Amino acid sequence: MGKFSRIAIANRGEVAVRIIKACEELGIETVLLHSEADIDTRAYRMATKTVCIGPAPTAESYLNIEANINGALAGGAQAIHPGFGFLSENADFAEAVGKVGLTFIGPSPASIRSLGDKVHCKELAKQAGLPLVPGYQGENQDVAHLITQAEKIGYPVIVKAAAGGGGRGMKLIKSSAEAGELIESAQREAQSAFGSPKVFLEKYLDRAKHIEFQVFGDSTGNVVHFFDRECSVQRRHQKIIEEATSPSLTDDLRRRMGEAACAIATLGKYKGAGTVEFLLQDGEFYLLEVNTRLQVEHPVTEEVLGVDLVKMQILTAQGEYVHDPKQIRVPKGHSIECRIYAENPYLGGVPSTGLLGEVQWPEGPRRRYEYGFEAGDTITPYYDPMIAKVIVWDESRPRAIQKMIRVLKDSVVFGVHTNIPYLIEILSHKEFVMGTMTTRFIETHFSEPIKEPALSEIDKKVAEGALLQLRGGGETVVTATSSPWASYWRGI
């Protein structure tokens, strides 16, 4: 297989920027496949070429297989990188890409079907003897039958989309009284997000930690793991803060979980970057799922190991990357990532859309920012409200926590609310500092919106001045609050 000269990106936002940067370092041109709503974003400005694939609704653009492939062909690409989300775990898309002579940068369609389908993956894991959370993964999707299975498992039970990810199509069922409604809701959401209403059930572990292992299959099919990440800080089943490596694992547990991760990836004949997710409770671990794509949180692994997973993905797709057995990778220091969302932390996280008046990410040693929007860009209501990721590295976990808090306090975002104050409170909580948080950490300690601090007269004047300046430019800012200055948040 020859080297790519141009790669199409079937995604948006910060992951599109991440892929463009990796391509630039490899001397490869890019084609951004974007919706009408994503014109004049950072990725749009950075890509070598842009092709509009449809209007803002994802079903008519980012989830439209034919539009993405036609866009890649029109842009003169030889390969498509799907990033994460959208079509990244869609085997039909990967297959369709291959049929027109393009290369899908990711695992084969067969591997996606084998491991990306959560139900099939659990069947494979069962054959391999991997520990699984008790549940139901059958084909019978009748709601009454699923309720019967939930009763057998015992409440609380989690219902999940078989083709899901990112918390979509996932509901916690606490009693039989709410089972029917929540199962039907999960099926509708799964159909809308992933094109399949299929769901499965799992016993809900209420003291579990979420631990995942980065696996990578090279050009020859050899699979190794690049150690672990802890992602226990989750809100509505979606990760907010991730770190590498986990503060919860002993050396023996890390070794056993790493071996299990490689075993399931090898069974799936995996190539490229993937993630094997586990739940850990009372010293026992259970396979949760395999994500057959790049993860949002991949930078923390890159920071502690000194690797570039996106470049490795591209080289693997070209048939060039092979693991070097002489190169023993050992994690160094500690890395933390925070996801920055355009949302109001004082109103329970409701999305905050509008014009970004000013954005400043403070530079410094071992600080990394991945963002898809800059000052002057508009945050629209059409997509996930994550606007950036902040990643830090330091010699130890306590130092990394303190560095992250400093970085967040020094970050400046005008124009929309962000969750930065919320993140600072989480990072400062004693349970997070001790590393003892579980997946119920947010539910237990941050179920209510955080309290909005009173602004000083100086802060009010600064905010009012910024507001007047922006409005003088003829722009309108839309936020979830009517406060004249609260539309402009300064992260201090």
Side-chain angles (χ1 to χ4, degrees):
M1 183 178 296
K3 293 185 177 180
F4 305 132
S5 60
R6 183 175 288 183
I7 290 174
I9 300 167
N11 218 296
R12 61 179 301 280
E14 51 86 21
V15 67
V17 172
R18 172 75 181 89
I19 297 165
I20 291 171
K21 286 185 174 180
C23 286
E24 287 177 345
E25 292 186 20
L26 291 170
I28 298 172
E29 296 182 339
T30 51
V31 183
L32 181 70
L33 308 175
H34 66 90
S35 76
E36 293 173 354
D38 277 336
I39 293 175
D40 289 337
T41 59
R42 190 176 182 220
Y44 184 93
R45 290 186 289 274
M46 291 177 63
T48 311
K49 187 179 179 66
T50 60
V51 176
C52 184
I53 56 171
T58 56
E60 300 176 45
S61 50
Y62 292 111
L63 288 175
N64 185 325
I65 290 177
E66 185 178 2
N68 277 279
I69 291 176
N70 288 340
L73 292 171
Q78 297 93 44
I80 298 180
H81 195 307
F84 39 72
F86 295 132
L87 296 172
S88 61
E89 292 185 282
N90 188 310
D92 292 340
F93 178 55
E95 199 165 64
V97 168
K99 284 182 178 177
V100 297
L102 299 174
T103 299
F104 181 78
I105 299 180
S108 68
S111 290
I112 296 175
R113 289 195 174 96
S114 178
L115 298 176
D117 183 299
K118 314 306 179 192
V119 173
H120 189 271
C121 178
K122 288 181 182 295
E123 288 299 320
L124 200 65
K126 193 183 297 181
Q127 295 171 22
L130 269 63
L132 296 171
V133 180
Y136 171 77
Q137 298 93 33
E139 293 297 322
N140 190 337
Q141 295 291 297
D142 181 75
V143 174
H145 180 74
L146 291 170
I147 293 174
T148 301
Q149 296 302 317
E151 302 281 350
K152 289 181 180 178
I153 295 167
Y155 297 106
V157 166
I158 287 262
V159 56
K160 298 179 178 179
R168 303 293 302 277
M170 187 183 299
K171 308 288 179 185
L172 174 62
I173 307 173
K174 296 180 180 177
S175 68
S176 58
E178 60 185 16
E181 180 181 348
L182 290 175
I183 289 171
E184 288 179 343
S185 175
Q187 289 176 326
R188 286 194 300 271
E189 195 171 313
Q191 176 66 52
S192 174
F194 310 110
S196 168
K198 189 175 181 180
V199 297
F200 63 99
L201 305 172
E202 279 183 348
K203 177 69 179 174
Y204 179 62
L205 302 180
D206 60 358
R207 303 185 310 281
K209 281 179 163 287
H210 183 118
I211 311 292
E212 61 188 30
F213 274 72
Q214 177 74 61
V215 294
F216 201 99
D218 68 11
S219 305
T220 66
N222 290 322
V223 175
V224 300
H225 76 77
F226 287 171
F227 291 89
D228 50 286
R229 301 184 283 253
E230 171 139 359
C231 311
S232 297
V233 180
Q234 301 178 8
R235 180 189 55 182
R236 297 189 288 272
H237 312 299
Q238 191 166 46
K239 302 159 190 169
I240 304 173
I241 298 174
E242 305 97 342
E243 54 187 311
T245 56
S246 167
S248 308
L249 302 188
T250 62
D251 290 344
D252 178 63
L253 198 50
R254 178 168 284 122
R255 177 187 58 76
R256 290 192 287 126
M257 293 176 74
E259 290 175 353
C262 288
I264 187 71
T266 301
L267 278 173
K269 299 178 181 178
Y270 203 85
K271 286 187 180 181
T275 303
V276 183
E277 299 191 340
F278 298 98
L279 290 177
L280 174 68
Q281 182 168 303
D282 301 327
E284 300 293 332
F285 65 90
Y286 308 90
L287 178 70
L288 186 60
E289 62 186 34
V290 178
N291 288 318
T292 57
R293 54 175 168 79
L294 194 68
Q295 293 280 101
V296 175
E297 57 271 25
H298 74 276
V300 292
T301 293
E302 295 183 326
E303 290 298 315
V304 296
L305 289 177
V307 298
D308 187 323
L309 292 168
V310 179
K311 286 166 66 173
M312 287 166 57
Q313 282 185 305
I314 295 169
L315 294 174
T316 299
Q318 291 182 160
E320 294 180 0
Y321 178 78
V322 177
H323 296 307
D324 182 357
K326 297 178 182 177
Q327 187 177 14
I328 300 174
R329 300 187 186 281
V330 178
K332 293 182 179 177
H334 197 85
S335 183
I336 298 176
E337 173 183 288
C338 286
R339 303 187 187 192
I340 310 299
Y341 289 101
E343 62 182 33
N344 191 328
Y346 311 118
L347 291 177
V350 297
S352 177
T353 59
L355 176 70
L356 285 175
E358 183 59 47
V359 180
Q360 293 179 19
W361 305 114
E363 295 296 329
R366 303 304 297 263
R367 301 174 180 187
R368 175 172 166 180
Y369 305 102
E370 308 233 331
Y371 53 95
F373 300 92
E374 299 169 305
D377 292 339
T378 299
I379 307 300
T380 72
Y382 301 113
Y383 310 113
D384 185 289
M386 188 174 76
I387 59 174
K389 300 184 303 197
V390 177
I391 304 104
V392 302
W393 179 95
D394 216 311
E395 296 175 358
S396 66
R397 187 171 186 270
R399 288 174 64 98
I401 293 173
Q402 289 306 311
K403 177 181 279 189
M404 179 61 86
I405 291 173
R406 286 198 305 275
V407 169
L408 292 177
K409 285 183 175 179
D410 290 341
S411 298
V412 175
V413 179
F414 280 162
V416 297
H417 283 282
T418 76
N419 64 334
I420 288 178
Y422 185 67
L423 293 167
I424 293 172
E425 292 212 11
I426 292 173
L427 291 162
S428 304
H429 193 280
K430 64 179 181 181
E431 197 165 313
F432 182 85
V433 172
M434 293 172 64
T436 55
M437 64 284 183
T438 70
T439 53
R440 294 190 64 190
F441 173 71
I442 295 292
E443 175 187 346
T444 303
H445 300 291
F446 294 92
S447 60
E448 300 295 328
I450 64 172
K451 187 177 179 181
E452 186 170 7
L455 293 176
S456 69
E457 289 303 315
I458 293 177
D459 286 336
K460 290 178 183 177
K461 289 186 181 300
V462 169
E464 287 171 338
L467 178 62
L468 288 173
Q469 187 175 12
L470 280 180
R471 286 184 172 169
E475 300 289 349
T476 300
V477 176
V478 179
T479 71
T481 175
S482 59
S483 169
W485 51 77
S487 299
Y488 300 92
W489 184 84
R490 187 159 64 94
I492 55 176

